[in-house]
């Protein structure tokens, strides 16, 4: 009789999970955040001084364009008004930027690099280029070109 009871017990099939409609690991925002985290880690390790990526963006853009209004600098570096103000305040406190009256519009201040800021931007440019190279190192030359073209298209 024990045999018949055991024979009648049915084994429940393993629960089958359906694939969820949203898989985080496949989402562009999640992947971009992971890539940004990797890049930020490389940046922090290799920039060679205590600068944030946003501070470096402001310094390098000023080195590229010369003096401009804080508002314009924010637009050129994709920073909102509050962020660029904080960045410039911190860079000015470190003696790397300064503000002066715009000779063409007395209501506007121009932000420019100090001599120390210009020297630092020139000194760190090779580090910044190396950071970009390392970030893109897993890709071959053609993949790097394609990635940059696609990212620029998504801007």
């Amino acid at each position: 009789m024990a045999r018949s009871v055991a024979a009648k017990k049915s084994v429940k099939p393993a629960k089958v999970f359906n694939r969820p409609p949203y898989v985080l690991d496949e989402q562009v925002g999640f992947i971009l955040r992971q890539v940004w985290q990797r890049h930020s880690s490389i940046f922090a390790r290799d920039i060679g001084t205590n600068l944030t990526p946003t501070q470096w963006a402001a310094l390098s853009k000023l080195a590229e364009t010369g003096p401009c209004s804080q508002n314009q600098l924010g637009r050129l570096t994709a920073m909102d008004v509050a962020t660029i103000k904080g960045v410039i305040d911190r860079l000015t406190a470190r003696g790397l930027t300064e503000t002066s009256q715009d000779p063409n519009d007395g209501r506007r201040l121009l932000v420019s690099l100090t001599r120390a800021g210009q020297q630092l931007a020139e000194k760190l440019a090779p580090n910044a280029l190396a950071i970009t190279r390392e970030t893109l190192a897993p890709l071959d030359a053609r993949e790097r070109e394609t990635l940059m073209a696609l990212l620029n298209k998504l801007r």
Side-chain angles (χ1 to χ4, degrees), residues 82-144:
T83 302
I84 192 64
K85 180 180 182 339
V87 166
I88 294 304
D89 287 349
R90 285 184 286 284
L91 291 173
T92 299
R94 291 178 63 179
L96 300 173
T97 59
E98 61 190 1
T99 58
S100 59
Q101 291 285 133
D102 183 338
N104 300 319
D105 184 347
R107 300 168 294 169
R108 184 172 33 184
L109 290 177
L110 295 178
V111 179
S112 58
L113 293 176
T114 62
R115 182 170 175 80
Q118 183 67 41
Q119 289 172 339
L120 185 62
E122 290 170 7
K123 176 184 170 190
L124 295 181
N127 298 40
L129 289 168
I131 290 164
T132 295
R133 280 193 302 275
E134 185 173 342
T135 298
L136 297 174
L139 307 175
D140 65 34
R142 188 171 181 177
E143 290 170 327
R144 287 190 297 270

Side-chain angles (χ1 to χ4, degrees), residues 36-53 56 124 127-128 131-132 134-135:
W36 172 250
Q37 288 170 331
R38 180 175 167 271
H39 173 75
S40 294
S41 176
I42 295 166
F43 181 91
R45 184 193 71 210
D46 293 351
I47 195 61
T49 189
N50 189 23
L51 283 178
T52 66
W56 169 247
L124 295 181
N127 298 40
I131 290 164
T132 295
E134 185 173 342
T135 298

Side-chain angles (χ1 to χ4, degrees), residues 1-9:
M1 182 136 164
R3 259 190 145 151
S4 63
V5 171
K8 288 183 181 178
K9 283 187 177 178

